[in-house]
Amino acid sequence: MGELGAFLKLDRVENPERSPAERVHDYHEFVRTLTGEALAEQGARCMECGVPFCHSGCPVSNLIPDWNDLVYRDRWEAAIEQLHRTNNFPDFTGRLCPAPCEASCVLEIREGEAVTIKQIELAIVNRAWDEGWIRPRPPDRETGRSVAVVGAGPAGMACAQQLRRSGHAVTVFERDEAGGGLVRFGVPDFKIEKSIVERRIEQLTAEGVDFRFCAEVGKDVGVEELRAFDAVVIATGARVPRDLPVRGRELAGVHFAMDYLYQRNRFVAREEGHAAAGAPDPPSGDAVISAAGKHVIVIGGGDTGADCVANAHRENPASVTQIELIGEPPRSRPDAISPWPRWPMKLRVPYALKEGGERDFAISTTAFTGNGRVEQIHWVENSGAPPFAPIDGTEEARPAELVLLAMGFLGPESGLLEQLGVERDERGNAKTSGAYETSVRGIFAAGDARRGQSLIVWAINEGRRCAQAVERRLAVLT
Amino acid sequence: MTQSATHSQHLSRTKRPTEPVGLYDPAFEHDSCGVAFVARLNGVPTHETLQRALTALENLEHRGAAGADPLTGDGAGMLLQLPDAFFRSVVETELPAAGAYGVCVCFLPRDDAERRKALEQILVESIEEEGQRVVSWRDVPLHLEHAGQTARESAPIVRQLVVAASPQLASDRDAFERKLYVIRRIAETAAGPELVIPSFSAKTIVYKGMLMAPQLARCYPDLVDERMKSALVLVHSRFSTNTFPSWELAHPYRMIAHNGEINTVRGNANWMRARESQLASELFGDDLLKVLPVVRAGGSDTANFDNVLELLVLAGRSLPHAMMMMIPEAYGSRDDMSDELRGFYEFHGCLTEPWDGPASISFTDGTVIGATLDRNGLRPGRWLETKDGWVVLASETGVLDEPAENVLRKGRLRPGNIFLVDLERGRIVEDEEIKHEIASRRPYGEWFERGVVQLSDLPEQPPRVPRIEPLRSRQLAFGFTQEDMKVILAPLARNAEEAIGSMGNDLALAVLSDQRPLLYSYFKQLFAQVTNPPIDSTREAVVMSVATSVGSERNLLGESPEHAHQLQISQPILRDNELEALRQVDSDIFKAHTIDITWPVAEGTAGLDLALERICAEADEALADSVNILILSDRWVGADRAAIPALLAVSSVHHHLVRERTRLQTGLVIESGEPRDVHQFATLIGYGAAAVNPYVMLETLAELVEEGMLPEGMTAEEAQHRAIKGISKGLLKTISKMGISTIPSYCGAQIFEAVGLEPELVERHFTGTPSRIGGVGTKVLAQEALDRHARAYPRNGDLLPLGGIYAWRNDGEYHQWNPETIALLQHSVRHGGAATYEEYSRLVNEESARRSTLRGLLRFRTGTPIPLEEVEPAAEIVKRFSTGAMSLGSLSREAHETLAIAMNRIGGKSNTGEGGEDPVRYIPDETGDSRRSAIKQVASGRFGVNVHYLANADQLQIKMAQGAKPGEGGQLPGHKVDPYIASIRFTTPGVGLISPPPHHDIYSIEDLKQLIYDLRCANPKAQVSVKLVAEMGVGTVAAGVAKCNADHVLISGHDGGTGASPLTSVHYAGIPWEIGLAETQQTLVMNDLRSRIWVQTDGQLKTGRDVVIAALLGADEMGFSTAPLIATGCVMMRACHLNTCPVGIATQDPVLRQRFAGTPEHVIRFFFFVAEEARGIMARLGIARFEDLIGRVDLLEADDAIDHWKARGIDLSNLLLAPGVAAGTPLRRTRPQDSPLGSALDWELIELAREAIESGEPVAAELPIRNVHRAVGGLLSHEVTVAHGAAGLPGGTISFTFRGSAGQSFGAWLAPGVELTLWGDANDYTGKGLSGGTVAIRPPDGSTFAAEENVIVGNTVLYGATAGKAFFRGLAGERFAVRNSGADAVIEGVGDHGCEYMTGGHVVVLGCTGRNFAAGMSGGIAYVLDEDGGFPRRCNHELVDLEELEDEDEPVVRELVTEHLERTGSPVAERLLDSWDESLERFVKVMPRDYRAALAALAAGNGALRYPDDHAISSGGEGFVTAEVESGSAG
């Protein structure tokens, strides 16, 4: 554990951030970590609980008390070893995870006092890269078995790394030009710079994972080719976005968030000079989705919505407004509904709103209007909870020249699953037995494609556990 | 698992079972007692000797016991010289000369005449075959109408057979005696257990039976026949924990009567059996073979001891010599012993291990009679010599009336001493004299010095390691985890002490664990409770020793310089170089051989059995080749070879060699990578290893140094040295838990119970170990070993598995309290309501219980359901619930009072824990709530226990053990003793408090009876409860508890326990409550004792299902600790010992206490949820009233739906056995105990004091007193307290003067205003819990002996006294003023361990002290008159400084000595006061260091605690602190 009783003497200190006024002008990461003693002190606050709820709250079961202690005791190299034991990509989660671990930290019983677990995680992995401790770990023997992984997002990457390290020949098929999935193309650079993703791809490659980019299965790669592998893992994500079927939806200027984010990320890659080979040409004309000078409406209050807001800020929009269907949650943890150690249903201020823009809750969009292009959004306030009954007299219209729909995802796209003959569950995801195996023997599914839209950390967890399931299957092959 | 039908097994109440029935095993029986002897120094036999002895016996009756049949005693008997005149007159045939004939006393079956004749025939033939002559049978008159019904029904026919010596033997009494012994053994062996021969001797004879003391002479009219004469008589009154009828088990045996218990008997018997092949005796010649086996199967510990003693004596050693061999006094670290005597003990240590345990053994061969006391001095013995030539020794003083003028001197048995009366010499032979005589018979010391080789003297040898594998691979293969490194090894090296943890053990049982636990985890340590006391290995280190030896032993019956050819090892953990020195030993005496204990992985699980066979065969070969050091080694582990669990290898070889009778030709040493915690070392030694080399553990310590996990600057060597030291210390603690003092007597003693091992496996490799629910066999063990091996080969990564045993980890060992169960329970009582509780209980009942507990393997049988409305309401059921004993000190005030309020609101009971209670809580709050705990605990520290506290209880609970660490004491560090806690414990803020491992007033079962009596006096309205922890034999102890007159017994499971304790105690001591409770229920029902006692159980109870199962297995009530704490916010931090509880529960830090968010409603909701769930189950079972559930095991069955690969071998049929007793025998408590208080002297005192109590008018009176008057003053003090509260009456308001010998606990609990003066003497426990009154004892009028040289009070005087004064003109026994926290006392000399654990008050000793004075004394001041300057040597300096008196001391001492003179007329006091200034200089002040600092701080006004900055314990960066131990016991 850290220092006995330190939690009584030391306060939680959040990650330092670059000021919104400054960062809004560039695409570089704005979250930093404490360093040196200040960080060790944060590690010292950990109490090494007999029942570490953080470890339970973490989807990959990060050994949080163990590495907090190692940081406190300045044993960083041991800390990264411990961290990698459960998590292939702490550099992703340390930046992008909403940190359910902190919500379930025992210190969080007094709301707001949790150990800064995520910050410590990030500091560990950053230092480990800086020190050169993270190296490829190719297997010391080959099993002669082959696995195809479809999708190079976090689930596919984690699965591929685990399988490769066990000595299997792993090929990853990815339809985009580079790896990382939404981490690369959905999440903005100012949250995670793409070199972070790329060096992981390089690590996997050095370990012997064969990445095939721009290779969409069913289109660029035949399903038959997949069947030649001893096992196949579908990790294609849940990329069908939820739509908003209201009047005027068809107007130009109403886009799915991910279309916007893909464009912005490719734009930044070009600007920064690290666009991947095989990347599509920059869009032009009507195909360009831009917030510059526009009144921007982002519909959906989640992380994707926030990323849209923040990207818009960086394009000098006329205004940005983020609206949310459900009502404003309470400012502190509602213990009757989501008591500690559960994830609290409470109001959070997203980073993007710190940079500007407005937010409104309990808003039901009723229509978009405009002349070919969207000009106005019409909405009405609702009761804030299902069935979201409209409140009379609150109808309103606002200028809206770019509308981004960030209302979540419904499930995996059609095509691949059907071609492989894989059944879907009632929610439309790839249906699996308990052990990640789909209705087709030898074909597995992991990540959002299996569980539906979720966190990166869940994707990593799924990838790892799916790899175990695959191994068990490979072990009984004759 | 095996499907087990509930079946009942027939048990006759007129016959003692000789085989286990259900969970009851007759081998668990314990007995203890009162003992006395009378001798005439002139050696002339008289009948008066018998009369005196019988009177003494009757006056000891209160120490014996009766069972369900109140007129049947547990046993009484008499041993005397063979009365020649008597036999000449009653036997018609002419007898040979005295000494040329012997008498065989036989117990023969009454109901089977044919069988009886056959047995008699066997005897007669044996006599004739051995060349002796049968003279005549005599039917012994036996008047059974005076015996109880059960005794009558089971009575044997008693016949005596007179045997004449053959002409060759007629003149050699010793040879004839030997021959009679040989004949007896031949007959016994031929006849089997039905032939019982209480004595067969030409020198002595025994009369005994299943009788109460006064019945003995009435049943045996022989004993009142005037012609029956003897010059010495030994009598005994037995208290057995069981009431199964047995005439045989009454004492005396043929040479001894025993008070106490031999803890190591299983090992001793095994070793004796192993020794038999080497026995040789010129005296016996070829006859020796006829007596084997020496130890008769099925005997009690006393019988076994008697068997061996008899052989040693008949083979030529004198009786005292043999006693000194078998029960040596402590000699290891003594500096006050002659070289000659030390040499004697060291030499004989090479011949035999001690028979260890609390024992006072009286012995006689017809010529000498004596008694010896074990090294700890844990039994009482008081003697008296008269001017007209009589000597009387008894468990108590005052058993015979002796006019004061006739008393020559009085004394007591002292630890390790022999008290001997030699009728040939016609005098008492002093301990020193007899020991000198024996020790100087041969140059034992010289033989030892020359013969013994010290391991440290062997030359260093280069390592000869068969195979070098990377450390990480070996760690993985032996199942090392990161927790082992961090939680076990790092603290061990850092602090040289075992690590501490909190909040019990909620893991899966080893047999249900999927984590491949090591074999050690299947073994649970046994510990002492009630029938024998644990030892404080820290404060009473003088009696402990870890030294051990290897080599071959020689003929036990001989003695020669070669007998000392042993290799001595200072402690049993060997470093690599020491092991090498041993392996490569090069001498003509020692020869070592190493055996590989690994097996080829390729052979799979089957290979393990093959390997064991190979190993045993190799051992045989080596022994044939005169190897005498066998080293079992798993150094060959590698990719292709897996290690046999080291414990299995050791025990398998050990038992193989015992069976082959070659075990003593060799020492057994284990070289294994596996062991790394104290329990593991303890099991290896307990199953026969003399020494252990844990090479991977040692290398791992070096790795820890390299990795910087140990303090900077610590070298690998230091780390190893400290770890070994820590393990040695832990071993001492483990053996002392069972009351064992030395490693040699622990070695092979098998003080364990197996939980989850298959009977065949146990029978073969762990012979004699109880394993009552079956379980896994070698195949599963092999699979587990292979699975562990597979973690290392092929290697996958460099990291060790986490472990997850000491703290929850997702992929670690399963914990019943995990994030899900904790969160659901908390949510249910706060917001979630019944629906969330249902989620919780489903998770616990269906997942958690099944994965970890025995109850999880059970299911309810289908009954005929009834509507829920017909079931007793929840509000009634919750009254059966109580919360556990968690003290204020371990819990915050807020948490403690929340539990109390909740339990009072629902009519359940909360428990003070050990730590007193704030008297403001006795008065209800204005809101109507009461914060008073219904249960007041009385634990070994007696903190805060005074008459006021006791008077304010509904139940008084005697804590014999606690689930988290049975057999251990505790310690509350000074920084947790804030002014509030100190005030309710009557101690000083800032001064640490120590709870001793034993209750110093309970060393055996009759002592418990006495304490129960004492507590009834302090509060006649309260129930008295005894808290036990489940272990093998707990049912038998519970039966004893019922016979001790307790109202209530609590059977705690091993897994509960919220207090802090050493981690291996948390995990490896005690067994699941399911077994303990079922055993208790079965034993109580079989003995028909269940009807008079409530049974409660606790230990990780969590749900209504748990409650119903507990009831079905036999519990009336249920206790909960962890669950209600969780309801109030506990999150199982397991940091209770660190004072940093973040939710304000287990902390005294005011800042943290503010965080406490629990409310009584949380607790109440939890209990109602549980009760409602129970109601639902009751409705399904068709049982409307809870009481009708109790004991209905027929409603349970094994759940065959559970198919776990390891659990398949579990057989719960013994657990589910319904004792086959007469229909209508109560299965639950149906009637109260009979009150023992009716005859108390206090009723008279209360009448006499009526006016004083009612109006404060002073009263005074004078009365006679006898030793049968016990706890005099207790009931009186209760009345005073009820009337006047804690303040009592003004000093001297009630003044009584007594003349005579007072019984035990004279002056117990005396309230302020009560003064007792005794002219005479008093027994043990005088002034127990003195609460403000005054006791003075002086010799009777007319006595002529010098009082200051004679014993006037017994042992353990002023135990737990909190206030008041005491003056004793004379000497006291052991442990004077133990745990005194406020009384002032003057005494003229004390025995060993004076002022032990004292925390307050003043003690003035005007004379000599024994050894180990002031051990554990953290407060108060003692002033010792040190006439000879020898006191510093006899004092334990660990906590105290010796100083000269300062100015402020003088008036304190002078006033006390002056009052002593006034109250007792002491000439010593007078002399001192006459030359006071001179006297003062001879006093030494004994001042506890912390106490001085705390007083200084208080004086300076900053005595208040240093919170909040003072988080005084430093964890040194690790989670598990060892430096300071706080415990639920003290804390």
Side-chain angles (χ1 to χ4, degrees), chain A residues 80 84 87-92 125 129 134 157 161 165 195-205 211:
Chain A
I80 187 66
H84 271 146
N87 186 347
N88 299 60
F89 312 119
D91 27 9
F92 299 0
V125 67
W129 279 111
I134 301 180
M157 285 172 71
Q161 185 164 50
R165 286 180 173 179
S195 57
I196 306 290
V197 182
E198 195 52 36
R199 67 189 177 188
R200 282 292 179 188
I201 299 287
E202 283 165 14
Q203 183 197 26
L204 264 69
T205 306
F211 281 98

Side-chain angles (χ1 to χ4, degrees), chain B residues 809-866:
Chain B
R809 288 292 183 275
N810 191 34
D811 54 358
E813 191 58 83
Y814 187 78
H815 284 259
Q816 296 166 49
W817 289 116
N818 54 49
E820 280 179 286
T821 50
I822 295 170
L824 283 170
L825 174 55
Q826 292 189 341
H827 190 44
S828 75
V829 300
R830 291 173 186 166
H831 303 284
T836 310
Y837 175 81
E838 269 167 41
E839 266 184 78
Y840 157 83
S841 64
R842 197 177 315 118
L843 190 64
V844 171
N845 292 337
E846 289 172 16
E847 158 101 359
S848 174
R850 284 187 178 193
R851 289 179 68 168
S852 21
T853 65
L854 293 181
R855 59 189 174 278
L857 305 179
L858 296 171
R859 71 178 172 208
F860 300 111
R861 284 184 190 260
T862 33
T864 315
I866 53 172

Side-chain angles (χ1 to χ4, degrees), chain A residues 18-34:
Chain A
R18 291 162 60 212
S19 80
E22 177 205 324
R23 73 201 192 202
V24 76
H25 300 297
D26 63 53
Y27 288 90
H28 295 298
E29 284 183 5
F30 62 84
V31 176
R32 303 274 193 262
T33 67
L34 296 172

Side-chain angles (χ1 to χ4, degrees), chain B residues 329-359:
Chain B
E329 64 186 303
Y331 59 91
S333 54
R334 298 251 312 254
D335 54 6
D336 57 344
M337 181 180 270
S338 71
D339 289 348
E340 171 189 270
L341 190 53
R342 179 188 307 280
F344 172 88
Y345 285 124
E346 285 177 332
F347 174 80
H348 285 84
C350 299
L351 273 66
T352 180
E353 73 292 337
W355 291 60
D356 212 350

Side-chain angles (χ1 to χ4, degrees), chain B residues 639-657:
Chain B
D640 53 338
R641 297 190 74 84
I644 294 178
L647 177 60
L648 179 59
V650 163
S651 192
S652 182
V653 171
H654 171 73
H655 279 291
H656 171 74
L657 298 181

Side-chain angles (χ1 to χ4, degrees), chain A residues 174-179 184-185 198 212-215 262 265-266 269 275-280:
Chain A
E174 168 57 53
R175 70 179 175 191
D176 287 327
E177 69 274 23
R184 186 169 201 121
F185 294 104
E198 195 52 36
R212 308 265 183 89
F213 296 116
C214 303
Y262 256 73
N265 273 306
R266 284 184 171 136

